[in-house]
């Protein structure tokens, strides 16, 4: 019940009209969110978000149907023009149909401080997202779909603790960092086996680098395409022995269509991204791949071929109400002024696949096989986004999943599943 | 040149003959002490031993007689026999590739023999059952090597599964009779059960009868007939017992099974000391009839004067079946038949198997008993057959009023 109350308070907060904004003042102001301004470039703002959703499945997968997908509260602010910082923590999500009396804090999200004196070299330290993956590095409230693509959730590493330098150099941007582990999405599942005389090893440290740029500006391409942004990314980390590989979870996470395999050695990720937003439309695409070594992991302690996870997606959106697709979409005819708000259509086609580098002989599903039986999940998501205000958005998605191996799906023998989700995002 | 060609042809034929000759009968040949090699990642073997109470599968390669099967699944198995030093193992050839078989087998069991200091009770008992026409797995012994290191003497046991059902029940035309419902009886610790009716809810039967085939069928189709059988056994009066139960349980085969089990003085079987234990139960394909399949007889040959009607009154099914004069007569008849069958066979078979395994047993440093214990148990076992034959014959004559044979006290 208190979770519902939390959602209601955030929704009410977000309903405060934009007129309450008051730039230049000191003390308490509403600058997109509740903010205390102490002086020029010194302030503290309260951030919050609640993502409430109702899900529908054509086959019972045992999932919650009405859930607080994510609730977060945080603080962010500026410390002079040289530093900014953020602290954000999750508030336990879960089934809203249960009358639970407690709100529990969950994982820490972004917790960092950044030195930003020079655009060419900013330094960030703390816990934040590793620079890999266009969609993974897009905030959940800015996503074009209710859920990120499978590759963004599986191969892209997500958050970790580390230090990163980033900046802009002409048409190019860069990010390079070193991190304690290898991201939340790649957390190990098994208590690592330690042989006599060996020390317990953690995943990592990992190193990541990403370069993005308006490459098309330098090419003889049509004018609108010149605004497209492209990028490449790479990470590398040590992975200790164990069932520590990436795994293929179904879209709703109910079952693994590829379970973890034994790995030992390096995990490398390669990524490429494309981001283009001409006017009211957008086109985004990513390709990413991870290769994990399996040194000494065969049934006879010999090296196995690399375990490979590959993913890609292509996603397009279009504001039927004509708004420009940028970071801060403002409805031309806002709902609170009697308009329809901003309405956007979106579609995404994606695949996440797993295989071994070796394809010789008979394939097996066992976690120490040289030739692993491949499997993949191909997903089509089509949806409508209704942006009712700067802080609230309703997302409606229909999702179709199709697995390659009928023996490894959420319901064995059934390869295709339809599901749907209606999401209310409240973010400030 | 010609001689080389001939040699090459002979070698090819020879090798071809060897490969072609190897069948599951060769693997379970009771006359041969086999050697089986398991190759698995060294960390997995350590993990399996550390977590021997869990049924976690680990991938492995198996080599027997020059044949290697890759990427099978092995796990720790057993109830009281589970061990961290000498784990009992189940080997599933199709665990990671649904079509993979080994000599036509999907699985086999490696019995760690930790509950039998003689090492041969299980294998002798199953051979004896087979002589008496009771469905039982094929078995022999094997030296087991893990990653090239001797891991001890094991029983090499045919898994009771669809493959075995096909072997035992054969085919009707082209249809192998192995699509029935196979159950492994699950001994529930602290809840001794003697075929008493436990109500119409299927849960108690589901807990005691683990389904091993047709797992995806509706619960009512799987356990409903068992609930019905137990209910009818408990509620049906003697006059209509045979006509009611007969279509649902092969009573003749059942009496044969419990009589044979009594002859070998198995104290932990169907009429066991703590209720029913150690058997499989099979509902024949397209039939309502069930039969019992022998399993795990390593507590056999307990003592030669083991009463021939021990606990027959305690188990509802046994009691009500043997209340019928025809089945009571059959029971004693099977006991006599078992005694006759044992006369020229049982001791010799025990001796042969003991001789076959002796070196492997003595050099097995992981067994949970000493070589001195083994020697003592071996002598006690060899004394069993003659004393048991005499005892059973005397007791049967006492029960049936037949002429008492010589040697009775």
């Amino acid at each position: 019940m208190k979770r519902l109350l939390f959602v209601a308070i955030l929704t009410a907060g977000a309903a405060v009209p934009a007129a309450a904004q008051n730039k230049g003042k000191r003390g308490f102001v509403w600058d997109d969110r509740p903010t205390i301004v102490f002086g020029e470039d010194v302030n503290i703002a309260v951030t919050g978000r609640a993502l409430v959703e109702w899900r529908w499945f054509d086959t019972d997968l045992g999932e919650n149907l009405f859930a607080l997908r994510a609730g977060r509260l945080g603080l962010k602010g500026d410390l002079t023009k040289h530093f900014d910082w953020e602290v954000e923590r999750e508030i336990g999500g879960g089934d809203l149909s249960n009358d639970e009396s407690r709100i529990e804090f969950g994982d820490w999200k972004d917790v960092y401080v950044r030195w930003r004196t020079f655009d060419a070299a900013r330094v960030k330290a703390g816990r934040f997202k590793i620079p890999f993956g266009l969609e993974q590095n897009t905030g959940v409230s800015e996503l074009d779909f209710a859920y990120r693509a499978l590759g963004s959730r599986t191969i892209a590493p997500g958050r970790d603790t580390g230090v990163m330098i980033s900046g802009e150099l002409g048409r190019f941007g860069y990010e390079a960092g070193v991190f304690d582990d290898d991201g939340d999405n790649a957390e190990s599942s098994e208590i690592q086996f330690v042989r006599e005389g060996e020390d317990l090893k953690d995943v990592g440290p990992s190193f990541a680098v990403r370069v993005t740029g308006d490459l098309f500006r330098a090419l003889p391409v049509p004018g609108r395409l010149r605004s497209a942004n492209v990028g490449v990314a790479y990470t590398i980390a040590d992975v200790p022995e164990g069932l520590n590989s990436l795994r293929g979870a179904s879209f709703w996470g109910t079952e693994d269509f590829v379970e973890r395999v034994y790995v030992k050695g390096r995990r490398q990720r390669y990524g490429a991204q494309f981001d283009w937003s001409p006017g009211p439309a957008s086109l985004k695409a990513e390709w990413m791949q991870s290769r994990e070594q399996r040194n000494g992991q065969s049934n006879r302690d010999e090296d196995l071929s690399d375990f490979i996870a590959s993913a890609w997606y292509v996603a397009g959106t279009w504001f039927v109400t004509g708004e420009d697709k940028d970071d801060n979409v403002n409805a031309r005819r806002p709902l609170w002024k009697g308009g329809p708000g901003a309405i956007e259509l979106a579609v995404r086609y994606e695949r996440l696949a797993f295989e071994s580098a070796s394809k010789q002989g008979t394939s097996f599903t066992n976690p120490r096989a040289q030739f692993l039986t491949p499997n993949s999940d191909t997903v089509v998501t089509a949806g409508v986004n209704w942006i009712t205000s700067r802080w609230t958005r309703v997302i409606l998605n229909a999702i179709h999943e199709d697995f390659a191996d009928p023996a490894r799906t959420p319901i064995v023998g059934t390869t295709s599943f339809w599901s749907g989700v209606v999401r209310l995002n409240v973010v400030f | 040149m010609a001689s080389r060609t001939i040699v090459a042809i002979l070698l090819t034929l020879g090798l071809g003959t060897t490969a072609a000759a190897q069948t599951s009968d060769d693997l379970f040949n009771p006359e041969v002490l086999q050697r089986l090699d398991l190759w698995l990642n060294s960390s997995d073997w350590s993990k399996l031993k550390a977590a021997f109470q869990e049924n976690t599968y680990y991938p492995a390669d198996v080599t027997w007689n020059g044949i290697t099967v890759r990427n099978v699944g092995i796990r720790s198995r057993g109830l009281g026999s589970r061990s961290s030093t000498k784990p009992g193992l189940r080997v599933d050839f199709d665990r990671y590739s649904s079509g993979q078989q080994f000599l036509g087998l999907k699985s086999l069991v490696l019995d760690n023999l930790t509950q039998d200091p003689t090492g041969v009770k299980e294998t002798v008992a199953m051979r004896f059952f087979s002589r008496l026409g009771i469905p039982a797995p094929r078995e022999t012994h094997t030296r087991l090597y893990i990653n090239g290191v001797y891991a001890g003497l094991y029983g090499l046991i045919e898994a009771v599964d669809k493959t075995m059902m096909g072997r035992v029940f054969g085919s009707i035309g082209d249809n192998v009779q192995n699509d029935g419902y196979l159950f492994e009886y699950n001994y529930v610790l602290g809840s001794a059960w003697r075929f008493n009716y436990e109500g119409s809810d299927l849960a108690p039967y589901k807990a005691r009868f683990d389904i091993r085939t047709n797992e995806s069928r509706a619960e009512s189709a799987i356990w409903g007939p068992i609930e019905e059988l137990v209910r009818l056994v408990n509620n049906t009066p003697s006059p209509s017992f045979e006509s009611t139960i007969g279509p649902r349980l092969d009573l003749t085969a059942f009496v044969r099974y419990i009589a044979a089990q009594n002859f070998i003085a198995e104290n932990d079987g169907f009429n066991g000391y703590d209720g029913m234990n150690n058997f499989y139960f099979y509902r024949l394909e397209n039939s309502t009839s069930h039969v019992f399949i022998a399993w795990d007889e390593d507590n056999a040959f307990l003592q030669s004067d083991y009463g021939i009607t021990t606990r027959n009154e305690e188990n509802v099914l046994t009691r009500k079946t043997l209340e019928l004069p025809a089945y009571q007569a059959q029971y004693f008849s099977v006991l006599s038949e078992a005694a006759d069958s044992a006369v020229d066979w049982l001791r010799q078979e025990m001796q042969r198997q003991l001789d076959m395994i002796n070196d492997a047993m003595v050099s097995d440093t992981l067994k949970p008993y000493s070589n001195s214990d083994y020697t003592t148990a071996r002598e006690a076992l060899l004394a069993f057959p003659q004393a048991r034959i005499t005892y059973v014959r005397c007791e049967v004559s006492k029960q049936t009023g037949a002429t008492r044979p010589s040697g009775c006290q």
Side-chain angles (χ1 to χ4, degrees):
Chain A
M1 210 60 187
K2 287 188 177 174
R3 283 184 182 148
L4 276 175
L5 189 63
F6 169 73
V7 175
I9 291 169
L10 284 186
T11 307
V16 175
Q21 294 177 44
N22 202 340
K23 292 197 172 183
K25 271 195 170 180
R26 298 199 176 185
F28 179 82
V29 298
W30 183 276
D31 185 13
D32 276 356
R33 55 184 61 87
T35 306
I36 300 172
V37 178
F38 298 98
E40 190 176 353
D41 296 321
V42 182
N43 55 63
I44 297 175
V46 179
T47 63
R49 69 181 68 179
L51 280 54
V52 182
E53 65 187 26
W54 177 85
R55 302 170 189 173
W56 165 82
F57 302 93
D58 72 338
T59 310
D60 182 11
L61 299 177
E63 268 288 282
N64 294 332
L65 296 180
F66 181 45
L68 175 61
R69 157 96 164 79
R72 291 183 198 169
L73 272 179
L75 298 170
K76 63 189 292 187
D78 301 307
L79 270 174
T80 76
K81 63 181 180 182
H82 299 290
F83 295 95
D84 63 357
W85 57 274
E86 183 168 359
V87 176
E88 188 179 46
R89 193 168 188 188
E90 194 161 81
I91 292 174
D95 188 350
L96 288 174
S97 56
N98 290 341
D99 186 15
E100 296 177 22
S101 59
R102 294 174 60 191
I103 294 178
E104 293 179 352
F105 284 101
D107 294 336
W108 289 100
K109 294 298 177 181
D110 287 333
V111 182
Y112 66 81
V113 60
R114 182 171 62 159
W115 177 52
R116 58 180 183 184
T117 304
F118 304 106
D119 288 344
R122 294 184 286 261
V123 178
K124 194 175 185 179
R127 178 177 163 76
F128 51 90
K129 285 189 174 172
I130 294 175
F132 185 100
L134 171 66
E135 193 183 42
Q136 175 57 238
N137 277 269
T138 302
V140 69
S141 53
E142 281 93 46
L143 293 173
D144 296 326
F145 302 88
Y147 284 83
R148 292 189 176 94
L150 285 169
S152 303
R153 289 189 260 163
T154 306
I155 298 178
R159 287 185 179 79
D160 212 322
T161 304
V163 180
M164 181 174 79
I165 183 168
S166 65
E168 283 89 43
L169 297 169
R171 289 176 184 158
F172 294 94
Y174 74 91
E175 298 150 287
V178 57
F179 298 86
D180 184 31
D181 294 324
D182 195 33
D184 292 345
N185 293 342
E187 279 189 350
S188 300
S189 66
E190 185 181 69
I191 298 171
Q192 293 146 20
F193 182 79
V194 180
R195 286 201 173 93
E196 202 169 307
E198 288 186 354
D199 295 328
L200 187 69
K201 292 174 184 168
D202 291 325
V203 179
S206 62
F207 302 89
V209 61
R210 178 165 65 168
V211 178
T212 57
D214 301 331
L215 196 61
F216 288 92
R217 289 193 189 282
L219 298 174
V221 295
R224 283 205 153 188
L225 189 56
R226 291 186 177 186
S227 64
N229 183 277
V230 296
V232 291
Y234 173 77
T235 74
I236 184 170
D238 282 333
V239 184
E241 183 174 12
L243 274 173
N244 295 329
S245 79
L246 304 183
R247 68 190 173 98
S250 60
F251 194 87
W252 296 101
T254 52
E255 291 292 332
D256 289 351
F257 65 91
V258 173
E259 295 185 348
R260 293 182 196 273
V261 301
Y262 285 93
V263 290
K264 184 183 181 186
R266 287 182 315 197
R267 176 189 292 139
Q268 297 178 90
R269 298 184 185 87
Y270 307 88
Q273 62 184 60
F274 175 85
D275 185 6
W276 183 37
S277 303
S282 75
L283 181 64
K284 293 178 184 172
E286 278 192 82
W287 170 88
M288 57 186 77
Q289 185 177 81
S290 71
R291 298 182 77 98
E292 295 172 277
Q293 289 184 323
R294 300 191 288 163
N295 297 333
Q297 295 307 299
S298 82
N299 294 341
R300 301 178 191 227
D301 291 359
E302 297 160 342
D303 294 350
L304 293 170
S305 66
D306 285 358
F307 180 57
I308 301 172
S310 305
W312 54 260
Y313 73 82
V314 179
T317 63
W318 176 52
F319 272 109
V320 295
T321 46
E323 287 79 3
D324 269 357
K325 177 76 171 177
D326 58 25
D327 289 343
N328 293 302
V329 176
N330 290 311
R332 287 182 171 181
R333 296 170 61 200
L335 195 64
W336 58 277
K337 286 187 176 176
I343 298 173
E344 181 183 44
L345 304 180
V347 64
R348 181 175 64 199
Y349 184 45
E350 60 168 307
R351 179 172 294 154
L352 172 63
F354 291 84
E355 61 187 348
S356 56
S358 171
K359 305 283 188 298
Q360 292 188 331
T362 307
S363 71
F364 294 89
T365 57
N366 103 55
R368 294 194 188 279
Q370 171 79 343
F371 177 11
L372 291 159
T373 307
N375 199 8
S376 64
D377 189 4
T378 304
V379 184
V380 177
T381 306
V384 178
N385 300 323
W386 181 30
I387 299 165
T388 54
S389 76
R390 187 174 296 179
W391 304 277
T392 56
R393 170 190 297 225
V394 177
I395 302 171
L396 191 152
N397 282 172
I399 299 147
H400 182 259
E401 271 188 284
D402 190 38
F403 295 91
D405 183 353
R408 289 178 291 166
T409 79
I411 296 174
V412 173
T414 305
T415 56
S416 295
F417 299 87
W418 275 105
S419 55
V421 59
V422 179
R423 160 87 63 78
L424 168 65
N425 279 8
V426 182
V427 180
F428 62 82
Chain B
M1 185 67 186
S3 60
R4 277 187 197 169
T5 307
I6 291 168
V7 168
I9 291 169
L10 287 174
L11 279 173
T12 307
L13 287 174
L15 289 173
T17 304
T18 304
Q22 292 181 347
T23 66
S24 60
D25 282 336
D26 296 319
L27 178 68
F28 295 118
N29 183 352
E31 309 282 334
V32 177
L33 173 63
Q34 305 286 2
R35 171 179 171 142
L36 202 70
D37 281 80
L38 286 179
W39 302 92
L40 70 166
N41 191 279
S42 48
S43 66
D44 283 353
W45 182 238
S46 301
K47 277 186 277 192
L48 185 148
K49 288 194 290 185
F52 69 101
Q53 294 288 10
E54 299 172 7
N55 288 339
T56 305
Y57 274 92
Y58 300 89
D61 296 343
V62 179
T63 299
W64 171 76
N65 229 9
I67 305 172
T68 296
V69 190
R70 299 196 184 281
N71 296 302
V72 306
I74 68 167
R75 68 165 174 85
S76 176
R77 65 163 295 279
L79 193 62
S81 63
R82 291 218 179 207
S83 167
S84 60
T85 52
K86 189 184 177 189
L89 298 170
R90 180 181 176 86
V91 181
D92 286 334
F93 300 106
D94 62 349
R95 175 75 184 173
Y96 301 114
S97 180
S98 56
Q100 178 161 274
Q101 296 187 346
F102 173 53
L103 306 174
L105 303 171
K106 289 184 172 182
S107 305
L108 60 80
V109 169
L110 291 164
D111 183 343
N112 57 3
L113 306 173
T114 54
Q115 293 183 310
D116 171 20
T118 73
V120 301
K121 288 182 177 178
E122 163 79 13
T123 47
V124 169
M126 291 303 178
R127 279 206 87 190
F128 189 61
F129 278 180
S130 294
R131 278 172 67 84
L132 295 176
I134 294 163
R138 294 172 291 176
E139 300 184 355
T140 189
H141 291 86
T142 186
R143 292 174 186 264
L144 180 67
Y145 287 78
I146 305 287
N147 296 336
V149 177
Y150 184 49
L153 176 70
Y154 278 70
L156 185 58
I157 317 287
E158 179 182 25
V160 180
D161 57 14
K162 277 189 77 166
T163 308
M164 180 182 157
M165 295 303 98
R167 177 181 68 78
V168 171
F169 296 103
S171 302
I172 298 175
D174 292 336
N175 183 18
V176 181
Q177 296 297 294
N178 62 355
D179 281 332
Y181 292 79
L182 178 65
F183 301 89
E184 181 178 6
Y185 183 72
N186 178 33
Y187 170 77
V188 180
L189 199 63
S191 175
W193 190 56
R194 297 178 174 85
F195 228 81
N196 309 90
Y197 186 53
E198 299 203 321
S200 58
D201 186 356
L202 297 180
Y205 312 101
K206 189 177 173 183
R208 296 187 193 282
F209 291 87
D210 291 340
I211 185 71
R212 293 288 181 247
T213 59
N214 296 311
E215 295 94 331
S216 59
R217 300 283 175 86
E219 291 193 1
S220 58
I222 297 172
W223 290 281
I226 291 182
E227 180 274 333
E228 181 189 55
L229 174 66
V230 177
R231 173 165 42 83
L232 291 172
V233 163
N234 279 265
N235 297 342
T236 304
S238 277
S240 55
F241 189 84
E242 184 172 17
S243 61
T244 303
I245 304 304
R248 295 172 172 83
L249 178 69
D250 186 336
L251 288 168
T252 303
F254 167 63
V255 170
R256 193 167 192 78
Y257 168 59
I258 58 173
Q261 203 168 51
N262 178 277
F263 180 82
I264 63 168
E266 171 58 80
N267 196 36
D268 194 20
F270 186 82
N271 294 311
Y273 68 94
D274 195 28
M276 295 152 56
N277 199 10
N278 294 321
F279 62 86
Y280 278 79
F281 200 46
Y282 184 57
R283 187 183 316 142
L284 301 169
E285 185 173 332
N286 299 321
S287 171
T288 58
S289 185
H290 296 80
V291 292
F292 288 92
I293 314 288
W295 184 249
D296 197 355
E297 302 286 350
D298 60 4
N299 281 302
F301 312 113
L302 179 69
Q303 57 194 65
S304 58
D305 59 350
Y306 186 78
I308 64 168
T309 59
T310 298
R311 290 188 287 272
N312 283 358
E313 289 297 310
E314 294 179 9
N315 186 286
V316 180
L317 177 60
T318 305
R319 187 184 74 241
K320 296 193 74 167
T321 303
L322 297 184
E323 279 174 3
L324 303 179
Y327 289 111
Q328 187 181 66
Q330 188 210 344
Y331 180 80
F332 292 124
S333 170
V334 173
L335 278 169
S336 297
E337 181 189 338
D340 293 344
S341 179
V343 168
D344 292 325
W345 185 85
L346 190 55
R347 192 181 187 286
Q348 287 90 325
E349 179 62 14
M350 287 174 172
Q351 185 71 62
R352 186 193 66 75
Q353 290 198 19
L354 288 166
D355 291 346
M356 183 177 79
I357 68 165
N358 189 62
D359 291 348
M361 176 65 98
V362 170
S363 59
D364 179 356
T365 57
L366 298 173
K367 63 182 182 289
Y369 34 82
S370 66
N371 285 333
S372 170
D373 294 336
Y374 159 62
T375 303
T376 304
R378 174 188 166 115
E379 295 312 312
L381 181 69
L382 289 170
F384 177 91
Q386 189 51 53
R388 182 64 177 165
I389 291 164
T390 302
Y391 178 82
V392 167
R393 282 176 167 168
C394 292
E395 290 300 304
V396 168
S397 68
K398 199 186 291 180
Q399 294 281 344
T400 59
T403 307
R404 302 198 76 194
S406 59
C408 298
Q409 292 181 343

